[in-house]
Amino acid sequence: MIGRMMFAALGAFALTGAAAPTQHPRRIVSLNVCADQYLLALADPGQVAALSSNARDPSLSAAADKVRGLRTLRRPSEEVLAIQPDLILGFPIGENKVAGVPPGNWRTLGLASAESYGAILDQIRQVARAIGHVDRGEALIARMNRDLATLPRSTRAGVAAYYQRRGYMTGTGTLIDDLMHRAGLTNLAARLGKPALAQVSLEEMVAARPDWLIVESATDRVVDQGTEMLHHPALRTIPRISLPQSWTVCGGPAYVQAAKAITARLNAPR
C-alpha cells in the first residue's frame, strides 16, 4: 500500500543507546503506528508513556481501540524531552535525534517495515525482549501460529492484484504479497514483472484479467477521483476482497485478521 511505504525508511531492526537496564522500562514512547501496535499488544498500560500521533486513527492503526486513556504525541520534539523515556520504539536507525530532539539517556529500538510473517515474529520477539515481557511475546506468537494453522484451504485461488487509489498496485516482496501466497493466490505484479509499487492503468488491469482485486475497504465507495477509477464499469466483473488499510499498513498481530478475511472471501459461496 501507498501508506505503508512511508514506514520503510525507518531502517533495520536494532537496539541502541545505554546498556540494557536491570528493570523493565517504565516510560516507553512509540514514534510510529507500527511500533504502537506491538507496544499495545505486549506492554503493561503503565509502561506506555506515549504513542504516535496516529495511534487513535482506526484507518491506520489496527489497535486504535486499545488507546483509550493513553497519551499520544502531538509535538514529539518537545514531548519526548519532557517525558524523558527510558525506551523509544520506532527510532530511525543511524540517527541520534528524534524530530530535532537532542540525544538523551534513553535506549532506542528501530523498526523496519515488516514485509513477511517471519519478520513480524522477529519483531514481536525483539519488542517483547526490550520491554521486559518475553513470555507475552511467545504467547502472542503461539496464538497467531495456532490461528493461522486452523485456516481452511482456499477453494478458489487464482491471480490477484492489490489495486489502490490512482491505480497503484503492490508488488512482490511485500506484506500483501506474503498474505496472497498464504491464501494460495498468485500476485499479478509477479506475472507483469512490476516492482514493489507500480502505477497500472485501468486498461492494463483490464487486459491482465486477474481473478481477484484486493482493495482497501476505504475505497469501497467513491470519495474522490483517486477512488473513482476503482469503480469503473470495466472492473465490475472482477470479484473483490476488501481489507481495512489498518490491517496491512504495518506488520503486526493484525496479519492474522487479514489472512482470515482473505481466506473467508475465497471460500465464500459464489
Side-chain angles (χ1 to χ4, degrees):
M1 298 185 15
I2 299 171
R4 184 159 50 83
M5 298 300 289
M6 65 181 176
F7 297 108
L10 291 176
F13 219 94
L15 186 62
T16 63
T22 56
Q23 296 182 345
H24 297 177
R26 297 179 179 178
R27 298 181 309 283
I28 307 172
V29 169
S30 168
L31 296 181
N32 62 66
V33 72
C34 298
D36 290 342
Q37 296 179 43
Y38 291 122
L39 187 57
L40 289 167
L42 298 169
D44 293 328
Q47 289 181 285
V48 182
L51 300 164
S52 78
S53 59
N54 292 315
R56 299 184 192 280
D57 185 349
S59 69
L60 289 175
S61 174
D65 59 337
K66 299 179 181 178
V67 180
R68 181 177 298 178
L70 298 175
R71 177 177 181 174
T72 56
L73 297 171
R74 294 185 179 181
R75 297 179 299 278
S77 60
E78 301 172 19
E79 293 177 82
V80 170
L81 274 177
I83 293 169
Q84 286 294 302
D86 44 20
L87 176 64
I88 297 177
L89 299 181
F91 191 91
I93 298 302
E95 297 183 15
N96 233 2
K97 56 190 177 182
V98 180
V101 176
N105 187 29
W106 45 61
R107 297 159 64 224
T108 60
L109 181 62
L111 294 170
S113 181
E115 303 293 2
S116 69
Y117 182 62
I120 292 171
L121 300 189
D122 287 343
Q123 291 188 349
I124 290 173
R125 289 191 170 103
Q126 291 273 5
V127 174
R129 185 179 304 115
I131 68 175
H133 296 299
V134 173
D135 55 338
R136 292 182 191 173
E138 294 304 318
L140 175 58
I141 288 171
R143 289 196 301 273
M144 293 173 67
N145 286 339
R146 184 171 59 249
D147 288 346
L148 291 173
T150 61
L151 288 178
R153 185 171 182 174
S154 301
T155 57
R156 297 157 64 197
V159 177
Y162 190 85
Y163 208 34
Q164 306 161 62
R165 62 192 319 277
R166 300 193 180 279
Y168 282 94
M169 182 174 67
T170 301
T172 59
T174 63
L175 192 64
I176 284 292
D177 185 59
D178 184 276
L179 282 162
M180 286 186 190
H181 282 289
R182 181 172 294 277
L185 293 167
T186 299
N187 193 339
L188 176 63
R191 291 275 184 95
L192 300 181
K194 298 294 185 180
L197 187 67
Q199 198 164 21
V200 177
S201 69
L202 180 66
E203 293 77 12
E204 190 176 4
M205 182 60 68
V206 172
R209 300 174 61 87
D211 300 296
W212 300 91
L213 287 182
I214 303 178
V215 299
E216 296 171 5
S217 56
T219 66
D220 286 346
R221 61 188 182 90
V222 177
V223 295
D224 54 23
Q225 288 185 336
T227 55
E228 185 177 19
M229 69 170 296
L230 297 176
H231 295 268
H232 192 280
L235 297 177
R236 287 178 181 168
T237 59
I238 305 176
R240 298 194 175 203
I241 302 171
S242 182
L243 298 176
Q245 179 184 210
S246 61
W247 290 359
T248 59
V249 71
C250 293
Y255 178 97
V256 174
Q257 293 171 269
K260 286 181 176 180
I262 293 172
T263 304
R265 180 69 180 93
L266 293 177
N267 291 335
R270 294 179 184 272

